[in-house]
Amino acid sequence: GIGVVYFLNSFYHPTVFHAPSDAKIKATFRQHRAEFVELAKMFKEDSRKGLWVGPARSSEGQTIKEPRWQVYLALLSKIGPELELGGISEDNQRDMEIIFARAGGTIFADEYSKGIDYILGSIESQGKLAPNLDHRDYLPAGHYLCRIEPNWYISYDFYKE
């Protein structure tokens, strides 16, 4: 089955997209590598159990209990303010995404997001590899990845409305 959850306080404006540069995201990853690794470890454990990575939502089956979710939130707050955490678990493919910036997604605006993905499994099904995600104007709609190190990628999503 599929589980998709996106939560937390996000930097959100419906028409303006202010994304951090690839260099800034890589620097944040290096500076907070221990927190990212701990989040990935928790995500692997929880997604293997079939739990949703997010706060309790009665309509979506088993979720992480509040004390465990507070650990996720504490780790995210050490990395930076206003981050979103999402998790996808489908068969042998698991992907955790930490979103640094998001905009759009309304009937009036295209949807954009940029962050870091932790991918277990094949990246071919997750998105297209790109050498740089700072100059996005040339990219058609889709999900793009720029490798930081094994299993860790800068991610950029652009979807036309």
Side-chain angles (χ1 to χ4, degrees), residues 4-6 15 17 25-26 30 33 36 45-47 61 66 77 87-88 99 111 115 117 120 129 133 140 145 151:
V4 180
V5 182
Y6 287 106
T15 57
F17 185 57
I25 290 176
K26 286 179 183 178
R30 288 185 187 99
R33 192 174 192 291
F36 280 104
E45 292 168 4
D46 293 335
S47 64
E66 188 62 26
S77 70
I88 299 172
I99 299 173
E111 182 176 358
D117 279 14
L120 293 169
L129 286 174
L133 299 175
L145 301 166
N151 300 105

Side-chain angles (χ1 to χ4, degrees), residues 3-111:
V4 180
V5 182
Y6 287 106
F7 285 94
L8 215 58
N9 299 324
S10 66
F11 173 78
Y12 183 83
H13 186 280
T15 57
V16 179
F17 185 57
H18 299 289
S21 68
D22 289 4
K24 172 79 172 151
I25 290 176
K26 286 179 183 178
T28 299
F29 178 81
R30 288 185 187 99
Q31 182 180 2
H32 295 282
R33 192 174 192 291
E35 288 87 359
F36 280 104
V37 168
E38 184 62 24
L39 284 166
K41 178 182 170 209
M42 291 172 60
F43 174 73
K44 283 193 288 190
E45 292 168 4
D46 293 335
S47 64
R48 193 175 302 122
K49 295 175 193 172
L51 297 175
W52 295 89
V53 177
R57 288 178 51 157
S58 60
S59 65
E60 296 188 7
Q62 288 189 309
T63 59
I64 295 169
K65 302 297 181 219
E66 188 62 26
R68 178 76 163 178
W69 181 241
Q70 290 304 316
V71 176
Y72 276 99
L73 295 178
L75 288 167
L76 284 171
S77 70
K78 289 180 181 179
I79 296 168
E82 303 178 339
L83 299 177
E84 290 182 43
L85 177 66
I88 299 172
S89 181
E90 179 181 19
D91 302 322
N92 294 325
Q93 185 69 40
R94 289 181 285 165
D95 174 14
M96 177 182 72
E97 184 175 31
I98 299 169
I99 299 173
F100 284 57
R102 176 189 301 275
T106 68
I107 60 171
F108 303 109
D110 297 335
E111 182 176 358

Side-chain angles (χ1 to χ4, degrees), residues 124-139:
E124 288 77 24
S125 64
Q126 294 297 306
K128 301 171 189 143
L129 286 174
N132 181 300
L133 299 175
D134 287 333
H135 306 289
R136 301 171 300 273
D137 296 341
Y138 68 91
L139 298 174

